[in-house]
Amino acid sequence: MDTLNALLGGFATAATPVNLMWALAGCLVGTAVGVLPGIGPALAVAMLLPLTTQVEPTASMIMFAGIYYGGMYGGSTTSILLNTPGETASMVTALEGNRMAKHGRAGAALATAAIGSFVAGTIATVMLTLFAPWLAGVALKFGPPEYFSLMVLAFITVSAVLGSSVLRGMVALCLGLAIGLIGIDEISGQPRYTLGVPELVDRIEVTLVAVGLFAVGEALYFALYEGRDAPTRNRMSSLYMTKAEWRRSWPAWLRGTFIGFPFGTVPAGGTEIPTFLSYALEKKLSKHRGEFGTAGAIEGVAGPEAANNATAAGVLVPLMTLGIPTSTTAAVLLSAFQNYGITTGPQLFQTSSTLVWALIASLYIGNLMLLVLNLPLVGLWVKLLLIPRHWLYAGILVFATVGVYGMRQSSFDLLLLFGIGLLGVVMRRFDFPTGPVIVGMILGPMAEAQFRNAMSIGEGRLTVFIERPLSAAVLALCVAVVALPLWMRRRRARSGGEEMAATA
Amino acid sequence: MNNKGFTAIGAGVLVLAALLAVGATSIPGEAGYAGAGPAALPWAVAASMALLGILLIVTARRATSPLVPSPEASPHWRAMAWVSAGLLLNALLLERLGFIPSCALLFALAARGFRLGANGRPSLLTSARDVGIGALISAPVFWSFTRQLGVSLPSLITAGWI
């Protein structure tokens, strides 16, 4: 009952005309960056972080939430209509969505993606509403050792599970941790790695690194390698879904939702695993298995797209209740909270309850807005794909300048931005994931503080982390997450070798 | 030897680890009874990076096939040079020329680079037009950020319209 009252209060805050405008602005920006190739919601929020110095927290968090959800809706449009995979989140949607579009059913694919996103987004937001306050209550009992262990788990899953290589993910994570070290140590007040440069004493802004890696790095990589391959576009068709298509879509939406949400809530980050799982499940259950990979099966779009949006909602649970970001966008959102001096964590529901509930309410409102924006108006968004890419990327660089310079008014930051852009090109070329850098640099200092507090509690003994059952369990999970895939690969290699020996 | 790039990155990571270690020696501060002071994490990161650097080099040298596929197209360095020039000039000139002119220049130089990267042959006229388009994009951004959102950006004249 308390939850319901709080939620109603949230709606009262979020539904004021001003806040509705912010939500609409966020949904528009989010859909646009989702549709445009090369930029995503993490980058858009990062570029708009300077707003946090001027706009009041509720308004800007409502807008950022709109961008976050909007990016998920817009991404599917591009992956269905363009023959290049857009963001990682919509890669699976592209598998079947592209096939459908090639066979003249682009409209139906877009419709099932948009409605599925709405259904999943709404159900997942309901789950978030029910689950987050409960988890926050549980998390109030956590101490520094538990937090540290959970953060280690987040580090490991973000860097080891997501990328194609554990080694490369770990390198990216360490890079992020190293960047996070620069500046004044929060506990002792000692400067670290500042080289006497005032900009470095103040720490490197998350905006700068995110924009450098995602916008500048992406643009330079595009100039270097990708300019010559022009993407081909699929033709639009009627958005009308037949009765049979509805019947095939809705179970897939529901299954996708229930796969996606839990994956978002555990610090396993990212949407790759749940969307692939949903795809595999739909393929297995489908009565039209022949359409998968040939004419394009609508379940193969509906399920993963729902999973994708449900995961996005799930990611907000650890972010709001534990203060642990498990995806790049969540990490950037966390730094928005930090800019306001708001500590995310279990206290958030008590100290900033108006903000939190307005944010949650705006997720419901945003979902509805996005359905309207993306279904009847999809034709307008498709027009964005007509912008010549040399102007699009040049424009992105201008916006990157605003975002980075607007934060601290320093030309030094713009030079640093270019340097990080070069780093981004190298990472992209050699397939190093960039997400762990961002998560490492934001979560690193927090994990360090928890570690040192825990060590104080344990009076300098490392055993404090295994003496407490919850912390020990989480650390054991960390070991399992790293060791299991290695062990399975080795076993597979061995059994593969035996088979080879048997056939030889 | 298909993985020279990875060997080089491994070496780079090792250098970074060494630099982090050197920096860590100069971090003052007592560990206290907690046993972990401000230099603890820097040492841990330096050590992990050293280990990862070695692992990168070992994997690169052991692998018989490329670890990641190389892009189909050969790198177009001239395109990247133009985009880089735009970014660097913008960094140097932003506070002298003001936001709109400097960003218009960035836009034109970068667009030239991207056109070259797409095997286009941009003429001087195209670039001149791009300066204009760049100004048309930067101006509303500048006004909305400075006038409505109160974010301060450098301007050419003190009145702050350009």
Side-chain angles (χ1 to χ4, degrees), chain B residues 32-60:
Chain B
Y33 72 95
L41 184 64
W43 278 114
V45 175
S48 328
M49 279 211 145
L51 180 69
L52 291 169
I54 293 169
L55 283 175
L56 273 175
I57 294 176
V58 170
T59 353

Side-chain angles (χ1 to χ4, degrees), chain A residues 19 26 58 74 92 112 116 119 123 155 193 205 215 224 292 343 346 355-356 386 389 394 423 432-433 475 504:
Chain A
N19 282 341
T58 315
V92 182
T112 198
V119 171
I123 296 177
F155 282 147
Y193 302 109
E205 292 284 346
L224 205 51
F292 276 87
T343 318
L355 169 68
V356 174
L386 296 174
R389 288 192 299 167
L423 178 72
F432 284 80
L475 285 177

Side-chain angles (χ1 to χ4, degrees), chain A residues 22 47-48 50-51 53-55 164 166-168 170-171 174-175 177-178 181 185 188 190-193 216 219-229 389-395 397-399 401-403 405-407 409-411 414-415 417-418 422 425-426 429-432 444-445 448 451-452 455-457 459-461, chain B residues 5-6 9 13 16 19-24 27-29 33-43 45 48-49 52 55-56 59 67-71 73-77 79-80 83-84 87-88 90-92 94-95 99 103 106-107 110-111 113-115 117-119 129-130 133 137-138 141 145 149-154:
Chain A
W22 284 107
M47 280 187 196
L48 289 170
L51 288 187
T53 55
Q54 309 295 336
V55 180
S164 48
V166 177
L167 183 55
R168 275 172 260 156
M170 288 291 182
V171 171
C174 279
L175 212 57
L177 290 175
L181 284 174
D185 169 39
S188 65
Q190 294 292 346
R192 298 191 291 198
Y193 302 109
V216 179
L220 289 173
Y221 190 87
F222 172 76
L224 205 51
Y225 289 112
E226 290 182 326
R228 278 152 284 181
D229 39 274
R389 288 192 299 167
H390 48 258
W391 283 341
L392 173 66
Y393 278 97
L397 292 179
V398 170
F399 278 97
T401 308
V402 186
Y405 190 87
M407 202 80 214
Q409 283 81 32
S410 149
S411 294
L414 291 177
L415 290 175
L417 177 72
F418 178 67
L422 290 181
V425 173
V426 175
R429 165 65 183 82
F430 292 99
D431 196 23
F432 284 80
E448 185 189 11
F451 177 77
R452 281 155 72 179
M455 288 292 278
S456 297
I457 295 171
E459 290 166 357
R461 284 172 299 111
Chain B
F6 275 102
I9 292 173
V13 171
L16 204 58
L19 290 176
L20 283 171
V22 170
I27 297 173
Y33 72 95
L41 184 64
W43 278 114
V45 175
S48 328
M49 279 211 145
L52 291 169
L55 283 175
L56 273 175
T59 353
L67 289 170
V68 293
S70 30
S74 55
H76 202 308
W77 295 109
M80 178 153 154
V83 180
S84 305
L87 285 164
L88 290 172
N90 187 39
L92 298 174
L94 190 76
E95 282 173 354
F99 181 83
C103 277
L106 161 67
F107 186 88
F114 295 130
R115 285 176 200 269
N119 282 344
R129 232 182 27 217
D130 282 349
I133 295 171
I137 292 177
S138 323
V141 172
F145 268 71
L149 300 170
V151 176
S152 72
L153 296 169

Side-chain angles (χ1 to χ4, degrees), chain A residues 34-113:
Chain A
V35 169
L36 289 171
I39 46 176
L43 179 64
V45 176
M47 280 187 196
L48 289 170
L49 278 182
L51 288 187
T52 53
T53 55
Q54 309 295 336
V55 180
E56 57 125 358
T58 315
S60 70
M61 292 316 296
I62 285 178
M63 181 165 89
F64 292 158
I67 296 177
Y68 180 52
Y69 270 25
M72 299 290 154
Y73 277 79
S76 56
T77 308
T78 313
S79 56
I80 289 168
L81 288 179
L82 277 192
N83 291 323
T84 47
E87 296 144 62
T88 45
S90 41
M91 242 158 67
V92 182
T93 312
L95 289 176
E96 293 307 306
N98 242 308
R99 300 263 175 201
M100 285 181 71
K102 282 207 181 99
H103 287 81
R105 290 196 295 150
L110 287 172
T112 198

Side-chain angles (χ1 to χ4, degrees), chain A residues 223-309:
Chain A
L224 205 51
Y225 289 112
E226 290 182 326
R228 278 152 284 181
D229 39 274
T232 48
R233 282 184 48 219
N234 293 317
R235 285 172 58 88
M236 264 298 282
S237 65
S238 157
L239 291 169
Y240 182 76
M241 273 167 54
T242 62
K243 246 194 193 129
E245 282 170 335
W246 276 101
R247 226 179 6 249
R248 286 170 63 179
S249 288
W250 72 260
W253 292 334
L254 293 183
R255 282 192 292 262
T257 308
F258 289 103
I259 291 175
F261 186 77
F263 265 93
T265 55
V266 292
T271 48
E272 284 91 343
I273 300 171
T275 45
F276 267 105
L277 272 181
S278 163
Y279 180 74
L281 181 71
E282 293 311 325
K283 196 170 174 179
K284 197 161 191 175
L285 293 178
S286 175
K287 292 194 190 83
H288 309 267
R289 216 175 297 175
E291 286 179 21
F292 276 87
T294 52
I298 198 162
E299 302 92 324
V301 179
E305 198 50 33
N308 177 8
N309 275 57

Side-chain angles (χ1 to χ4, degrees), chain A residues 348-382:
Chain A
L348 190 71
F349 277 85
Q350 287 151 15
T351 53
S352 315
S353 69
T354 325
L355 169 68
V356 174
W357 288 107
L359 184 64
I360 294 177
S362 79
L363 295 175
Y364 289 96
I365 299 173
N367 252 317
L368 197 63
M369 284 181 176
L370 283 164
L371 181 67
V372 176
L373 284 177
N374 280 274
L375 209 51
L377 299 179
V378 70
L380 287 177
W381 298 110
V382 175

